[in-house]
Amino acid sequence: MWFFLMSYLKYLINRSVTQVKKRIAAKGGSASYWTSHLVVNEEFTERETSLDHFHWRNAQYPGYIDLMPVTGADELVVLDYGCGPGNDLVGFSEFSSPKKLIGVDVSKTALAAADRRLALHSQNFDLIHIQEDENIIPLESNSVDLVHSSGVLHHAQNLQAAIHEIRRILKPGGRLQVMVYNYDSLWLHLYTAYVLQIEMGRYSDLALLDAFRHSTDGPYCPISKCYKPISFLEEIESHGYTGKFKGAAISCFEMSILPKRLAAIQNRSLSREHRDFLCSLEFNKYGHPTYSGVIAGIDACYEFTKCE
């Protein structure tokens, strides 16, 4: 019993120390936070286990890999903007034959993890550290065919600067494929607005979008936004792109809380916006909820082309 109590006490202390470190890191901005809060990552020693993790991670978001493909990039210069520990770089190296593969990130910790992992899959890659306040990518203008950015731009300190710099390095007619968090999602309308704020009573004193920020990538994540598709399209196209909303992928977590939908609709404390959203959901042949004909998931995916 004594050993159990001491072990549990040690666990609580370590958890508290970790939370304090993340809180301090968050005050230093996104780069500081993402250095201390690395996304889901493992250390791999074999190509097969790394590749298995790639498939497992994508399976947590049904439909994602079809909307954000890593195939079809043969002989292209591909840049992963905000590559993190390299999961999508693994995909491009395994399922395409890019002329050159480049990963950029604000976190040196993430780039070090990506370097170790990519070494199991490819020798033809470059990893570049950039500063979040300047967003300068040290590449020539009009030199990249495809920029891939998954789950990154909604954390950007300066979205306009990031989009401007990405456009600079893209070739005329080059493509930018993006995933950002979706406002029209179960994550926002069911998990954040009902499960967290009402059922669990967490962040109930915060505005909805601030509660959303706490809900996604750790409670101390300094920036985490979500966008309605029309708003995100207009924002990016204003910087010299033409674009389209390809659709959204839902997380397995969102599917797991779907049974709470009816209780949420019946709860009068839930605002009408969220009740109307949940009432209007339909379901496709896979059992995935749709809103206005689009999967009501957190991963909204877009494709943009640089105007010439």
Side-chain angles (χ1 to χ4, degrees), residues 195-214:
V195 175
L196 283 180
Q197 292 193 298
I198 294 176
E199 187 179 63
M200 299 177 65
R202 296 177 60 189
Y203 314 127
S204 57
D205 58 331
L206 299 180
L208 176 67
L209 295 183
D210 202 23
F212 176 86
R213 173 177 64 84
H214 285 278

Side-chain angles (χ1 to χ4, degrees), residues 18-168:
T18 299
Q19 293 301 317
V20 170
K21 287 181 177 178
K22 289 181 178 179
R23 187 180 304 171
I24 294 172
K27 293 181 179 179
S30 293
S32 175
Y33 180 77
W34 290 108
T35 295
S36 66
H37 184 87
L38 195 60
V39 296
V40 177
N41 180 52
E42 298 177 18
E43 288 294 335
F44 302 100
T45 58
E46 297 179 351
R47 171 181 171 273
E48 290 74 15
T49 54
S50 172
L51 194 56
D52 183 66
H53 181 271
F54 170 84
H55 291 300
W56 170 84
R57 188 169 184 269
N58 289 333
Q60 308 312 301
Y61 302 88
Y64 163 84
I65 196 63
D66 297 318
L67 296 169
M68 292 284 287
V70 292
T71 56
D74 295 355
E75 296 305 312
L76 300 182
V77 177
V78 177
L79 183 141
D80 187 346
Y81 186 88
C83 65
N87 193 69
D88 289 349
L89 290 172
V90 167
F92 281 109
S93 68
E94 289 285 343
F95 303 109
S96 289
S97 298
K99 181 178 181 180
K100 192 171 186 179
L101 187 57
I102 306 165
V104 302
D105 204 279
V106 299
S107 168
K108 292 182 179 180
T109 303
L111 290 171
D115 185 59
R116 294 190 296 271
R117 187 172 178 191
L118 264 293
L120 300 172
H121 299 271
S122 173
Q123 300 301 316
N124 182 29
F125 65 90
D126 291 328
L127 299 175
I128 301 171
H129 178 249
I130 61 173
Q131 301 293 332
E132 68 171 325
D133 52 346
E134 298 175 351
N135 284 291
I136 301 300
I137 304 171
L139 297 175
E140 293 183 3
S141 299
N142 306 315
S143 62
V144 175
D145 297 289
L146 172 65
V147 173
H148 172 95
S149 183
S150 180
V152 175
L153 293 180
H154 49 232
H155 297 306
Q157 179 175 287
N158 188 334
L159 177 62
Q160 291 73 26
I163 292 301
H164 178 78
E165 182 66 357
I166 289 171
R167 187 182 187 281
R168 181 188 67 80

Side-chain angles (χ1 to χ4, degrees), residues 182-199:
N182 185 18
Y183 186 94
D184 296 331
S185 64
L186 283 182
W187 196 290
L188 181 96
H189 294 284
L190 181 58
Y191 179 56
T192 304
Y194 174 68
V195 175
L196 283 180
Q197 292 193 298
I198 294 176
E199 187 179 63

